[in-house]
Amino acid sequence: MPMSRRALAAAAVALVLPLSACGSGDDGSGSTDASGKVEGDITFQTWNLRANFKSYFEGVIADFEHKYPGTHVKWVDQPAEGYPDKLSADAAGGTLPDVVNVSPDLVAPLAKAGLALDLDKSAAKYRSEYLPGAWAGHQVPGLSGTYAFPWYLNTGPLFYNKALFTKAGLDPEQPPRTYDELFADALRMAEKSDGKVATLANVPTIEDFGRYGVPLMNEQGTGFAFNDAKGVKLLTKYKELYDAKALDPQALTATPESSGKKFLTGAVAMNPGSALDLGNFKKNAPGLYRNIGITDQITSTGHVNMYVMGVMVNSRTEHTPAAVAFAHFVTDARNQMSFAKKVAIFPSTAGSLDDPYFTKNDGTDETRVRTAAAKSLKNAVNYTPVLFSDQMKTELRNEVAKALQGKESPKAALDNAVAAADRLLQQG
């Protein structure tokens, strides 16, 4: 499932989208009024979901058409590869489907081009049905409004090695929860192990700055702001960890796979993961498996990071009531819960995470991770700015590396990263 971001390609979408582009109605005469009769033919586009969930979506569509006899939903599914380019071509050519599966970074250029329906105006009555953080996931800096119904969510807990915590004289039942606690524990871990055990294996990302409480953009959405005093403090602390070997020396080139191997061998004390990792630990590292701890992501804001997928309504659709009704139907509590039981995702609807499926731990690896993640999602937010592209991420990572290596001060590194991101933002 397409959980990874496509922000760089989304920027390309923005470059080719004319502001006058229109969707299903070629004359651009679609209405934003969703209060009329639910009827008409609409097209629903998903993102690489047909192969594994054909019967599920056919059932949802049949239920909708039964509820609204005057409707017909045509379902199309696009492959993951080239999906942003497909959206770009459809938007520019006036063939954008009525209801579209999007991620926040993909909805941003469509909203700026006037092609995404503002749900705060057209579907505000549904807002209370969703988690506040999820509803806000498809809001775009610089624009007022919400441009997609929140659909499925994802997040990941943090694994830690209780044996390593005990060996360092730390309480294995009290893992760090804030960044300040993390920094203190990491330095102690490195000191007690003579630099042989790092607590972390990855450099800070934009999500870390968000979870630390750093403002990531200005209120107007016209520039980035993570080079403020708090951002500099965070990077300075990571530099301290790097020098003490509390941050793995190979963190500058780490991948999820390499970080996972470090955790598996006991060279790293904490690492994000999933239920699949628990199975791997059980098979390949039984000692680690017996001592595994599961905790929330580190955050100094009290809110963990979530990844959110959405369902957008084309503002140029000729059948606004039907398109809004269907987008809401796909993402309502009943259908989200049904979908969540077919794949390892979480519903964005209020109250759904209180279901026993997400709260009752039967001792299996799957439920241990699922219940931990579900608990943290209730007040989670999407920290990655919808306008922060993959190219911007690369610029930040390069500057962070220079700071950790002592080639630049943390302040200079973040100033350079913000300047580069702002240039890319203006180009987009």
Side-chain angles (χ1 to χ4, degrees), residues 41-101:
D41 295 353
I42 58 173
T43 300
F44 170 48
Q45 177 172 287
T46 52
W47 185 357
N48 194 32
L49 296 176
R50 183 182 292 273
N52 294 322
F53 306 105
K54 182 174 183 288
S55 61
Y56 169 77
F57 285 104
E58 288 178 343
V60 170
I61 290 170
D63 289 345
F64 179 78
E65 292 176 344
H66 177 75
K67 182 176 181 179
Y68 300 103
T71 62
H72 174 72
V73 179
K74 177 183 177 182
W75 175 33
V76 296
D77 185 69
Q78 301 295 340
E81 184 176 357
Y83 188 71
D85 294 332
K86 174 63 175 171
L87 285 184
S88 172
D90 284 345
T95 57
L96 194 67
D98 303 274
V99 181
V100 187
N101 178 190

Side-chain angles (χ1 to χ4, degrees), residues 308-356:
V308 56
M309 193 61 71
V311 177
M312 184 198 90
V313 175
N314 181 357
S315 66
R316 305 293 200 262
T317 178
E318 295 178 345
H319 302 289
T320 301
V324 170
F326 183 73
H328 171 253
F329 190 79
V330 171
T331 62
D332 69 15
R334 182 178 69 88
N335 283 313
Q336 285 212 47
M337 179 60 75
S338 176
F339 195 33
K341 290 182 178 181
K342 296 180 181 299
V343 64
I345 49 90
F346 300 87
S348 62
T349 41
S352 295
L353 296 175
D354 294 323
D355 187 275

Side-chain angles (χ1 to χ4, degrees), residues 238-410:
Y238 265 89
K239 166 65 172 166
E240 184 179 351
L241 297 188
Y242 186 74
D243 290 344
K245 296 186 178 180
L247 175 64
D248 186 74
Q250 297 177 356
L252 301 182
T253 58
T255 65
E257 292 76 20
S258 65
S259 299
K261 289 179 180 178
K262 291 270 187 176
F263 183 69
L264 194 72
T265 60
V268 171
M270 304 188 81
N271 201 56
S274 69
L276 296 177
D277 293 305
L278 281 179
N280 181 38
F281 302 155
K282 188 174 184 178
K283 179 180 178 180
N284 298 315
L288 171 63
Y289 181 77
R290 288 192 297 270
N291 288 284
I292 203 71
I294 303 175
T295 189
D296 289 345
Q297 299 170 20
I298 302 297
T299 171
S300 295
T301 64
H303 303 279
V304 304
N305 185 61
M306 71 163 67
Y307 300 94
V308 56
M309 193 61 71
V311 177
M312 184 198 90
V313 175
N314 181 357
S315 66
R316 305 293 200 262
T317 178
E318 295 178 345
H319 302 289
T320 301
V324 170
F326 183 73
H328 171 253
F329 190 79
V330 171
T331 62
D332 69 15
R334 182 178 69 88
N335 283 313
Q336 285 212 47
M337 179 60 75
S338 176
F339 195 33
K341 290 182 178 181
K342 296 180 181 299
V343 64
I345 49 90
F346 300 87
S348 62
T349 41
S352 295
L353 296 175
D354 294 323
D355 187 275
Y357 182 73
F358 295 111
T359 59
K360 187 176 180 180
N361 189 340
D362 61 9
T364 64
D365 291 343
E366 184 178 5
T367 60
R368 289 174 70 189
V369 174
R370 182 169 67 231
T371 55
K375 183 179 179 181
S376 70
L377 273 171
K378 290 183 179 181
N379 67 347
V381 299
N382 178 19
Y383 284 111
T384 306
V386 299
L387 301 177
F388 199 71
S389 71
D390 286 350
Q391 194 172 352
M392 295 174 190
K393 290 181 181 180
T394 299
E395 293 287 350
L396 174 59
R397 186 179 181 88
N398 290 342
E399 291 298 330
V400 164
K402 292 176 184 178
L404 296 181
Q405 293 171 319
K407 297 178 179 179
E408 292 178 349
S409 70

